[in-house]
Amino acid sequence: MKPSQPPRAPRPGVTRPEAAPVRARRPSPADLAAAANRTIPDVLPPPGALLRVLFCGINPSLYSAATGWHFARPGNRFWPALHLSGFTPRLLAPAEQDLLAGYGLGITNLVARATAQAAELDPAELRAGGERLAALIADRRPRVLAVAGVTAYRTAFGRPRAAIGPQPEHLGATQVWVLPNPSGLNASWTLPRIAAAFRELREATGT
């Protein structure tokens, strides 16, 4: 029997993520404390390569900053939602984030510095993050920008009435979509609801 295929074929030269998820050591409390205000690099395909969807978090958690992996805090639903919605053929571990380029996917954040909670960010930081994000979009030209966090999106882009789903405004030729915040602290959104929102994005945009 032939193995199931991913929703989109990886770029040539990129290994398909068929192995078991990677397990890594959990950061200690001292590691987490030391990670405050640290930054981590964006996850992006090489310049000129197809970028189908650029996912944008609010800012890194201390856990993410301590490990160097996006959406890494235990209980975050980003990676399960990415798989359940059909963006990846299996559940990827945060440590496997570099495999996303093979699916034309990327990750960035509105604000680069890590905090224990997104509530520690002030509106000026979010607005500055929106400007930086617009510059990144102009440079990398993803088909879709998906911002995971409606409240942060409203502040960053001055859209107080924005809701989850597609936005009427574009950034250049890039369609903008707002997703629910997948953090485990966002208890009003369960994993099935978050996965459904991710699936709506994938199916509506053909990505």
Side-chain angles (χ1 to χ4, degrees):
M1 181 180 296
K2 294 183 178 180
S4 59
Q5 298 297 313
R8 294 288 189 278
R11 295 189 314 104
V14 176
T15 303
R16 286 179 177 171
E18 299 295 342
V22 174
R23 296 184 182 277
R25 180 184 70 85
R26 294 170 65 101
S28 68
D31 294 330
L32 297 178
N37 298 315
R38 190 179 297 171
T39 63
I40 57 177
D42 292 341
V43 174
L44 297 168
L50 174 66
L51 182 52
R52 295 162 48 214
V53 181
L54 178 60
F55 292 95
C56 179
I58 301 171
N59 74 310
S61 67
L62 297 183
Y63 200 103
S64 285
T67 61
W69 307 322
H70 293 269
F71 300 105
R73 181 176 176 173
N76 193 293
R77 282 79 55 87
F78 175 80
W79 297 99
L82 204 65
H83 168 55
L84 293 172
S85 60
F87 276 108
T88 61
R90 68 162 174 84
L91 175 61
L92 300 182
E96 299 174 291
Q97 62 184 17
D98 289 342
L99 295 175
L100 290 180
Y103 299 101
L105 306 175
I107 302 177
T108 189
N109 287 288
L110 273 170
V111 176
R113 74 179 184 97
T115 60
Q117 296 187 27
E120 297 176 41
L121 305 176
D122 61 46
E125 284 184 284
L126 291 169
R127 288 192 293 269
E131 294 174 1
R132 184 205 67 86
L133 184 58
L136 178 63
I137 295 299
D139 179 49
R140 302 307 296 267
R141 300 181 181 180
R143 289 175 57 188
V144 180
L145 168 68
V147 180
V150 66
T151 301
Y153 175 81
R154 289 169 178 165
T155 301
F157 290 94
R159 308 294 183 189
R161 297 184 180 180
I164 300 293
Q167 304 303 302
E169 304 83 14
H170 283 53
L171 289 176
T174 297
Q175 183 176 1
V176 180
W177 200 284
V178 174
L179 295 170
N181 184 350
S183 168
L185 299 176
N186 185 12
S188 62
W189 281 81
T190 63
L191 175 56
R193 288 185 68 202
I194 295 172
F198 276 55
R199 186 179 303 110
E200 182 183 359
L201 160 65
R202 184 177 65 80
E203 293 177 349
T205 60
T207 54

